[in-house]
Amino acid sequence: MKSIENDKTELGKAHLTSGKLSLEEANVRLKQAGESEFPLCIFPRFIQDTILELYENGNYNIDYTSVSILTALAGIIGNSYHLRKHIEWVENPSMWVVLVGKSGQNKSAPLKTAFKAVKNLQKQYDQEYESVIANYNPDSGEKKPSKKKLYSTDPTFEALINIHKQNPNGMILMPDEFKSFILNLIGYSGTSKQSQFLSIWDGAPISLDRKEAESSSLSMPCVSIVGSIQDDVIASFKAKDIKDGFFERILFAIPLKMEKKYVKRTNPNDYTVEQFHSKMKDLLDAVTQKNNTEELVLSDMADELFINEVNKHVTPSNKDSMISGILSKLDRYILRFALVLEVSNSFFDNLPIERVGESAMKKAIMLKDYFYVNALKLNNMVLNVYEDNSKEGKVLQVIKKIGKKEFTNKEFIQMAGHMGIAKESYAYQLLSNTKLAYKVQKGVYETEVLN
């Protein structure tokens, strides 16, 4: 491929900040400039082309599309491939992902595009089931046909396990309302529900022994979760975190610019998008034909890269417990990223899938860096909105304006509205999640910040 080292155009100038690049690589960097820090180079060329085509002509955010596709690949691969680090450490490819942004930022369209192959196959399964069940005679003594599902939107935990049993390769959970899904986990009875999902993330065997769920057991869970949520909502939920590592297991896609875009007059190129859908279908078809789990190992160079990267996390982790929580989960995600990239890129390049190599590990580390930055962004959202003791802190501004050590939630809400800081529901969220005041009785709060 032509070098751009001596190219004097704007395209050629990209190598000055990004190193020596090909024309195609430089073109990608320039299109992303100021829009996204997602490392598009982790993907094969046809996926990169699709992401940029949808960005330029379809009003799709680069981060949302990229992360959605990455999660779709992970969900498709499922239990067909695992990565064994050593005898006691095995990772499946599951990922928990949340697209974070303002209302109206077109977060749903990238998810729809990324998971089109999955949803089309699900539609086929549904039609086959309806045909079989229509001819089923409950008096025949035959076992009632089961319905195979690749994804679900709002199952109970018990239902999720039983649905997963019908599709051992794995499940994709795509809540229609991610806010409701998270609220259900972290509500008054949320602690136990969170712990159940923590076991699923770990890939640990699940056994529900309650009377109404005697058969709800699963030896090898592999559940990817993906959804979207507004930035202030996820920040409020994060502020309620009970510090059990649940939120540290979530990968956040937070664009550089959280803003609504003007609708463009052009449409995405049909051929580029259809080629993407066709190749994702090919991968899905290949995976559905596998009846076993194939374990891959790291190449020597990939193993060395992984160890060196994880060792870099030791010092910052020892200095800060918050950083430690994030990096400890990302250490494991590095292996999951590498597994997904090795399997998918090898498949699309028609190469044998034998082990996770150096290239996949380098790209996995790029992904780790991207999601690490976004985890820090989310923590800053929480600090800035809910826990900030500086003069800019929203809660502190309202408390100081009230001017009393003890106040009611009604006083807080009214003052926040009067100051133009927050309307009623948002003001109540601020008060509920702040660490600057605590509830002494129903509707009454007390603060120490005025002392």
Side-chain angles (χ1 to χ4, degrees), residues 352-369:
I353 303 171
E354 298 174 337
R355 60 180 179 175
V356 174
E358 177 183 2
S359 176
M361 182 56 68
K362 285 181 177 178
K363 293 174 181 177
I365 292 170
M366 292 181 193
L367 278 173
K368 182 272 300 181
D369 290 339

Side-chain angles (χ1 to χ4, degrees), residues 10-294:
E10 284 300 313
L11 183 63
K13 294 176 183 178
H15 82 284
L16 294 175
T17 55
S18 303
K20 190 180 295 185
L21 302 173
S22 68
L23 281 170
E24 286 186 346
E25 291 169 328
N27 188 31
V28 169
R29 296 291 181 92
L30 286 177
K31 288 179 179 178
Q32 280 190 266
E35 290 290 333
S36 172
E37 294 178 337
F38 188 92
L40 285 179
C41 62
I42 68 163
F43 291 130
R45 176 58 56 186
F46 81 91
I47 293 182
Q48 295 184 44
D49 290 343
T50 301
I51 293 168
L52 292 175
E53 179 66 26
L54 291 171
Y55 160 67
E56 292 183 307
N57 298 309
N59 204 34
Y60 281 44
N61 180 278
I62 292 175
D63 292 66
Y64 295 157
T65 311
S66 303
V67 173
S68 297
I69 291 173
L70 177 68
T71 313
L73 292 172
I76 289 172
I77 293 168
N79 276 327
S80 60
Y81 289 92
H82 286 183
L83 173 57
R84 181 175 290 279
K85 176 65 178 70
H86 55 64
I87 191 170
E88 295 294 335
W89 188 355
V90 179
E91 293 289 349
N92 66 39
S94 63
M95 298 180 193
W96 293 2
V97 170
V98 177
L99 313 184
V100 179
K102 305 290 184 185
S103 178
Q105 262 193 270
N106 194 23
K107 297 183 285 294
S108 58
L111 288 170
K112 183 178 179 181
T113 296
F115 288 90
K116 183 175 181 179
V118 172
K119 292 192 173 184
N120 283 348
L121 183 56
Q122 182 64 64
K123 189 182 298 183
Q124 178 184 323
Y125 286 157
D126 291 345
Q127 292 170 347
E128 291 172 355
Y129 173 78
E130 290 171 5
S131 176
V132 172
I133 202 70
N135 298 314
Y136 169 69
N137 181 0
D139 299 324
S140 65
E142 297 180 357
K143 185 178 179 181
K144 184 178 179 180
S146 58
K147 187 175 183 178
K148 186 174 182 179
K149 292 183 71 69
L150 301 174
Y151 74 95
S152 184
T153 57
D154 188 29
T156 64
F157 188 80
E158 290 80 4
L160 176 64
I161 298 305
N162 285 322
I163 292 170
H164 193 333
K165 289 176 68 176
Q166 305 303 323
N167 181 27
N169 191 59
M171 280 293 298
I172 302 168
L173 188 54
M174 291 188 278
D176 291 327
E177 287 292 334
F178 206 84
K179 175 181 177 180
S180 300
F181 172 72
I182 295 290
L183 188 60
N184 185 47
L185 292 180
I186 65 175
Y188 292 108
S189 61
T191 304
S192 62
K193 295 180 181 179
Q194 281 188 228
S195 64
Q196 291 172 333
F197 273 90
L198 297 184
S199 296
I200 279 192
W201 187 88
D202 285 332
I206 303 292
S207 180
L208 302 180
D209 298 322
R210 293 189 295 276
K211 183 177 180 180
E212 69 273 17
E214 292 177 353
S215 63
S216 296
S217 61
L218 194 64
S219 62
M220 199 163 57
C222 182
V223 179
S224 286
I225 306 176
V226 62
S228 63
I229 200 166
Q230 293 181 28
D231 57 327
D232 58 340
V233 176
I234 191 64
S236 71
F237 287 156
K238 180 68 168 63
K240 293 181 180 179
D241 189 8
I242 60 174
K243 310 302 180 186
D244 63 353
F246 178 80
F247 277 93
E248 282 73 21
R249 287 167 167 81
I250 298 178
L251 302 169
F252 298 100
I254 306 177
L256 292 175
K257 299 177 181 177
M258 285 199 290
E259 57 188 19
K260 188 173 182 178
K261 298 290 183 68
Y262 289 103
V263 176
K264 299 180 179 178
R265 297 182 181 276
T266 54
N267 292 319
N269 180 274
D270 289 346
Y271 176 78
T272 300
V273 178
E274 285 303 320
Q275 182 188 44
F276 166 77
H277 289 313
S278 176
K279 292 193 175 185
M280 292 291 279
K281 180 182 181 299
D282 290 343
L283 176 62
L284 183 56
D285 289 343
V287 166
T288 55
Q289 294 173 15
K290 286 179 63 68
N291 296 317
N292 63 311
T293 299
E294 189 173 340

